[in-house]
Every structure is written in structure tokens, then in C-alpha cells.
Amino acid sequence: MKTLLFALAAVAMTACSKAPEKTVKVYAWQGEGQDATEQTIQEDFSKWHAHGVDGMCYNIGYNLEKIQRAAKIAKANGMEYHAWIPTMLNGNADSSWYAINRKGESAYNVQAYVPYYKFMCPNNDSVINYIVQEYSNVADIPEVDYIHLDYIRYVDVILAKGLWDKYGLVMNEEYPTADYCYCPKCVADFKAATGIDILTVKDPSKCPEWAQFRCDVITNLVNKISDAVHAKGKKLSAAVFPGPDSHAKWMVRQEWDKWNLDAVFPMNYNDFYLEPASWLAPIVKEEVETVGGKFPVYSGLFICHDWQNKANIKDPEGHGLLPSEIEEAVRGSMENGAAGIALFTPNSMTDEHWKALDKAIHQNYTKKWMRKKNADNTKGRRFY
């Protein structure tokens, strides 16, 4: 009898000590390197999936053959595949397709901040047709689950505060060099819609109709892409700026709560905004409340690879979350309504990061009460 009791107790203890189930859905953003092969991709995807990554947002541009290769490998490893492709950036399009800044300069010839900022105009019919067709072609690949939009926006008319020193700027106003788009079609369409000739307005940044017009241009483009992708039986996701009210709308004209998406991935990169990991909680709260259940929110986390040397790294784009901050970032996201998280990038994750992530994604999080939007939320505020 005693032997039987001991055996039952041992079984009970084993059941109680069983490792907790994974509770957090995890995605990852990663671009494909030039030297990538089927073997290296398999090794990476297998490793990341073993660490809890459920889906890959993988960037190879519009290369259909390489997208299919990566998507097949993702599926073989039990992961969802999002074909991550920058939308408005293009270094080789027709010169007439590019956005024009307030100084009259084309992004084809003069770029704000960095040379690769060759943004096309999202209101140009040829650009719209090109983008919709390219994404439709990608959606035809059987193994692709989602089209994942990135750079689906205008140039940052206001940079995140953590980047100001890098570019020697104090952005307490919208500078003409980074203020787009003033091409003839945008100017004419805005005048037809509102009766306002934006070229005669002394300070266009003080014209709310002009700001809304450009938000609507991006929304219209996204929804045309959405129609095309959904017609192929696929889903649409997007990487966006935080908010949207507190940052995305006024920084890059993304009113993404109005987009016809199936999932959204706000890039909640706290270091870019000179904020601690605790910032994730209120920003995710805003994002989830603003979307109101229309589609899931996956909180994007920026990882610091050289984390032991972070204090000596001058470029803020080398900053990010330390291993010791992972749990707080995940908790702040999940308790405030996120459906999961996204890592930028798994290649930046060190052994210490993976260990911290493993602990964080195996915890039970209680969703805090999500208040309805009201007058004291972040809508309309500018966080310079």
C-alpha cells in the first residue's frame, strides 16, 4: 500500500513540475543575407523556431524564387510566413514616380537623412498599379501566408527623438526637406478635395486638412493592396510606427487603425524614443484600444545585440533591449492587450536574450482592463 501511495505521489509531483505551456505568440523580422543558402536558412529557421518563434517576417524584396524557397522552409519548420517587402522605397523606378518635398526636390535626386530614402509617391497611379501587381504576384506563392508591408508611409517628417543627435537635428518643426509630397498630382487632388492650394499656405504643417489628406492617401493605397491580397486568399500585415495617434499619424502619416489589415506590428522601439522598457505598457495600451479588436496587435521589440557594450555605442540604431529588459517588455505588451510580440531581429538575439525570452513567453499574463478611448488618452498629443 505504501509503495502504491509513493508511486501516486511521484506521478503527482511530476505532473505539477511539468514545464508551463508557451503563452506568447512570437514573430521575428529578418532580412535575407546575400550569402544565404537553403541550408543556412534551414539552420536559422530551425533554431529560431526551437526558441519559440511561431512566424517569420522575412525580407527578400520581390524575388519570387527566393520568397518561395524561404516560405517552404518556414512551413517545413512549422512557422507562418509573412513576405516582408518595403512598399514605398525603390531605387530603380521611373524618375516621375518619386515624391516631391516642400522645396520642390524629388526623392529620386535628393534624399532626406540617408541615400536609400528614395520614396515613391503613394498618390501616383503608376506607382499604385505597380505595387498592387507586385504584391499580387507574391500572394500567388502557395506557401506565403501573409504579405507584410513595411515603409508604407511618407518620409519621417519628424524623426524619433533618439535619432536627432545622429543627424544633427532638433526637430521641433516640420522641415521642408523631409515634408512630402508636393507633386503636381498631390497638390491638384488636395485642392479639388478641399479648395485649398497648399502651395500658397505659409505654413503647411499648420493645415490639418493637408495632414489628413496624406494619411488618407496612404490608407487608400493600403486598402487597394488589401483587396488584391485578399482576392488571392492571403492575409495582410504591416510594420508601422507606434500609436497611431501619439506617433505614427503626425510623424509619417500612418493612420493605421483605418487600414484593412489582418494583423499589425507596431515598431515599439523604446530606445528610439529615449524611453525605458516600461514605455511598452502605455504605448501598447494605446494601440490595442485604438484598434478596438479590428485586428491583432503584435508588439515589435528592438534587440541590442552588443548589449554589454551598449553604453559605448553612439548610434542609437545599435541600441535596443538588454536581456534583463526582455521580461518587462513582454509583460508590458501582453498585459495591455497585445496578441504577441515580434523580434527585430533574431540575429541580434544573444544566448542571454533567448534565455530571458524563454522565461517570458512561458508565463501567464492577466490582461488589464482596457478602457475605452476618452479625452485623457494620447490622441492628438505630440511627443517631441
Side-chain angles (χ1 to χ4, degrees):
M1 185 67 176
K2 286 183 179 180
T3 302
L4 178 60
L5 290 174
F6 281 131
L8 292 173
V11 170
M13 288 178 65
T14 300
C16 291
S17 62
K18 183 181 178 182
E21 296 293 326
K22 180 169 170 288
T23 59
V24 178
K25 192 165 187 178
V26 181
Y27 288 91
W29 284 290
Q30 187 66 54
E32 180 168 295
Q34 293 183 349
D35 298 328
T37 65
E38 185 171 345
Q39 180 179 346
T40 62
I41 298 169
Q42 165 59 30
E43 290 171 353
D44 285 340
F45 284 13
S46 176
K47 173 186 174 182
W48 299 335
H49 183 58
H51 279 299
V53 176
D54 300 290
M56 288 302 303
C57 302
Y58 200 67
N59 182 14
I60 327 171
Y62 291 113
N63 189 312
L64 300 182
E65 183 177 345
K66 289 187 175 182
I67 291 172
Q68 185 166 41
R69 178 180 70 177
K72 284 183 175 180
I73 297 171
K75 305 306 286 185
N77 281 278
M79 292 194 289
E80 201 171 87
Y81 190 86
H82 293 230
W84 168 24
I85 307 169
T87 308
M88 301 316 305
L89 290 181
N90 192 320
N92 301 299
D94 186 286
S95 60
S96 66
W97 288 13
Y98 290 85
I100 306 294
N101 67 16
R102 203 193 318 165
K103 296 172 67 177
E105 299 167 332
S106 168
Y108 180 78
N109 300 311
V110 179
Q111 297 83 43
Y113 312 122
V114 288
Y116 71 83
Y117 256 36
K118 289 191 172 184
F119 274 73
M120 298 183 292
C121 172
N123 193 39
N124 182 305
D125 290 333
S126 295
V127 171
I128 295 170
N129 293 335
Y130 165 77
I131 290 172
V132 170
Q133 184 58 57
E134 289 292 328
Y135 282 129
S136 295
N137 294 341
V138 176
D140 281 330
I141 298 173
E143 295 80 6
V144 168
D145 297 301
Y146 283 72
I147 298 297
H148 186 70
L149 308 178
D150 193 12
Y151 287 93
I152 179 64
R153 58 181 180 84
Y154 289 90
V155 170
D156 329 42
V157 70
I158 299 291
L159 281 174
K161 195 169 185 178
L163 298 172
W164 292 5
D165 285 346
K166 178 176 180 178
Y167 296 103
L169 297 168
V170 176
M171 305 201 76
N172 52 11
E173 62 179 281
E174 297 182 4
Y175 295 111
T177 301
D179 184 18
Y180 293 84
C181 174
Y182 291 78
C183 74
K185 186 174 190 302
C186 286
V187 171
D189 287 356
F190 179 62
K191 186 173 183 179
T194 65
I196 301 171
D197 182 355
I198 196 62
L199 296 180
T200 66
V201 175
K202 184 177 180 180
D203 185 356
S205 70
K206 299 297 192 295
C207 180
E209 296 88 352
W210 180 229
Q212 186 62 52
F213 171 81
R214 288 173 292 178
C215 284
D216 292 343
V217 164
I218 296 295
T219 297
N220 291 336
L221 173 57
V222 171
N223 292 343
K224 286 181 179 179
I225 295 170
S226 178
D227 289 343
V229 169
H230 287 152
K232 301 283 186 176
K234 301 301 174 65
K235 296 181 179 180
L236 188 68
S237 58
V240 297
F241 273 47
D245 291 327
S246 60
H247 295 84
K249 284 172 63 174
W250 58 273
M251 292 175 75
V252 292
R253 321 301 183 190
Q254 289 179 328
E255 196 171 16
W256 49 258
D257 56 308
K258 293 185 177 180
W259 298 357
N260 293 333
L261 298 173
D262 299 289
V264 71
F265 291 65
M267 298 176 288
N268 295 328
Y269 302 163
N270 56 288
D271 277 88
F272 283 38
Y273 300 90
L274 302 182
E275 297 285 356
S278 58
W279 178 79
L280 272 291
I283 202 68
V284 171
K285 183 178 187 300
E286 177 197 346
E287 292 161 351
V288 172
E289 287 183 345
T290 303
V291 168
K294 184 178 177 183
F295 40 75
V297 175
Y298 294 95
S299 180
L301 310 181
F302 195 86
I303 305 301
C304 181
H305 178 69
D306 190 12
W307 58 274
Q308 292 173 313
N309 191 44
K310 179 177 176 179
N312 299 317
I313 299 174
K314 293 183 179 180
D315 187 345
E317 295 187 62
H319 293 179
L321 293 169
L322 308 175
S324 60
E325 297 174 309
I326 291 290
E327 185 173 354
E328 182 175 15
V330 174
R331 179 176 298 280
S333 298
M334 297 307 297
E335 288 187 344
N336 285 281
I341 62 165
L343 306 172
F344 187 88
T345 63
N347 267 347
S348 296
M349 294 282 284
T350 63
D351 290 343
E352 292 84 358
H353 282 103
W354 288 121
K355 184 178 180 180
L357 180 71
D358 182 67
K359 180 182 178 182
I361 63 178
H362 287 87
Q363 296 186 31
N364 291 316
Y365 297 103
T366 302
K367 304 290 186 184
K368 293 180 178 178
W369 177 251
M370 307 305 294
R371 295 178 303 161
K372 294 181 179 180
K373 293 179 69 177
N374 53 45
D376 67 355
N377 70 4
T378 54
K379 185 174 182 180
R381 296 183 191 171
R382 292 197 167 191
F383 290 72
Y384 287 123

